[in-house]
Amino acid sequence: DAGVIQSPRHEVTEMGQEVTLRCKPISGHNSLFWYRQTMMRGLELLIYFNNNVPIDDSGMPEDRFSAKMPNASFSTLKIQPSEPRDSAVYFCASRRTGENEKLFFGSGTQLSVL
Amino acid sequence: QKEVEQDPGPLSVPEGAIVSLNCTYSNSAFQYFMWYRQYSRKGPELLMYTYSSGNKEDGRFTAQVDKSSKYISLFIRDSQPSDSATYLCAMKQAGNQFYFGTGTSLTVIP
C-alpha cells in the first residue's frame, strides 16, 4: 500500500491567494483527518470525516477554511483567502474503523504564505 | 488547561543512554494511549500503543501508563542515533478524536 498521499509537498503563495491541499487516504480506511502542525501549538485537529461525511469541524479556524470529501479516496482542504498566519505543515491522516490507535499520516504539505 | 501536556525538550543524550519521555493528561475518560515518532519532514508514525495501566514492551521501547496519576511514559533503552526524532504522545476516548502532545525533540549523539 502506498500510504496516505498528500499533494503538494510544498506550497508557497502570496497573501490573499487561494490554496488547495489534497489527500488520498489509504484504501479501505473510512475515517479521514486534517491536522495542522506548528512549533507553538503542535498538532491541531482541523476537521475529520467518517465515511465521507464531516463529523467535527470545530477545529477549523475560521470561514476561510473549508474541507470536502467527495468520495472515499479523495479529500481537499481549501484556504481562501490565505494569510501569513496560515503558514504551517498540514497533515492528512486516515484510519480504519475498529483500529482505535492506528492513525496513518501522510508526509504533509509545508505551506508558506508570504 | 490543555488536554495533554508534554515537555517539548529538546533532549540530547549520548548513544546507549536510557531515554525517558513523559506526558500528563487531564481527561480521565481517555482509554487509548499511544506514542508516535516523527522524523524531520515526515508525518508522525505509530510507535507503540496500550489500552491499560502498566507496562508494554517492544524491543528497546517500553510504554508505561499510570491512570491513577494521569501520566504516561516512553522509555528507550540503548538509544541509537536513528532514534533521533520528535516523539508525540497521543490519547483518545472511544470515538475518533485523538489528542496529541506538542512533542519532545530527541537527539542521540554518536
Side-chain angles (χ1 to χ4, degrees):
Chain A
D1 198 319
V4 176
I5 299 173
Q6 289 187 247
S7 65
R9 283 287 275 133
H10 304 275
E11 177 81 27
V12 180
T13 191
E14 292 187 348
M15 184 174 63
Q17 296 299 304
E18 178 179 294
V19 174
T20 299
L21 311 181
R22 297 173 176 78
C23 175
K24 176 179 169 55
I26 293 172
S27 177
H29 284 196
N30 56 339
S31 295
L32 183 140
F33 303 75
W34 281 101
Y35 286 90
R36 177 171 68 178
Q37 188 176 42
T38 61
M39 289 290 289
M40 291 296 294
R41 301 173 67 93
L43 268 172
E44 299 175 280
L45 178 65
L46 300 177
I47 185 171
Y48 74 86
F49 296 82
N50 256 9
N51 297 316
N52 313 339
V53 176
I55 301 300
D56 184 354
D57 65 354
S58 59
M60 297 285 260
E62 47 199 273
D63 291 345
R64 298 184 298 107
F65 285 68
S66 62
K68 293 182 179 179
M69 191 164 186
N71 57 62
S73 58
F74 184 65
S75 178
T76 59
L77 177 68
K78 188 174 292 187
I79 308 172
Q80 166 63 21
S82 57
E83 296 182 3
R85 60 191 167 123
D86 301 330
S87 298
V89 182
Y90 290 80
F91 286 105
C92 175
S94 69
R95 183 176 78 92
R96 190 194 310 272
T97 299
E99 295 182 350
N100 282 298
E101 68 291 340
K102 293 181 181 177
L103 194 59
F104 292 84
F105 285 82
S107 295
T109 295
Q110 174 75 60
L111 174 64
S112 297
V113 183
L114 306 177
Chain B
Q1 183 186 9
K2 292 185 71 172
E3 298 269 6
V4 180
E5 299 278 359
Q6 183 174 9
D7 185 342
L11 196 58
S12 184
V13 301
E15 184 175 351
I18 296 174
V19 175
S20 172
L21 306 169
N22 310 296
C23 289
T24 58
Y25 62 96
S26 57
N27 188 345
S28 57
F30 285 144
Q31 300 174 14
Y32 305 96
F33 304 91
M34 295 143 278
W35 285 95
Y36 282 77
R37 178 174 60 195
Q38 185 176 18
Y39 290 114
S40 180
R41 296 185 175 83
K42 298 286 188 182
E45 57 178 345
L46 181 64
L47 186 60
M48 292 190 70
Y49 64 90
T50 184
Y51 306 121
S52 58
S53 281
N55 292 354
K56 181 177 180 180
E57 195 170 311
D58 183 1
R60 297 185 295 108
F61 298 88
T62 299
Q64 186 177 81
V65 174
D66 182 346
K67 287 187 176 181
S68 61
S69 301
K70 298 191 181 69
Y71 189 88
I72 72 169
S73 299
L74 178 71
F75 299 97
I76 307 173
R77 290 184 301 279
D78 187 25
S79 55
Q80 303 295 308
S82 58
D83 296 329
S84 298
T86 296
Y87 291 81
L88 300 102
C89 61
M91 306 171 193
K92 67 185 295 292
Q93 310 169 213
N96 270 313
Q97 189 161 3
F98 289 69
Y99 294 86
F100 284 87
T102 50
T104 300
S105 175
L106 171 68
T107 300
V108 180
I109 302 167

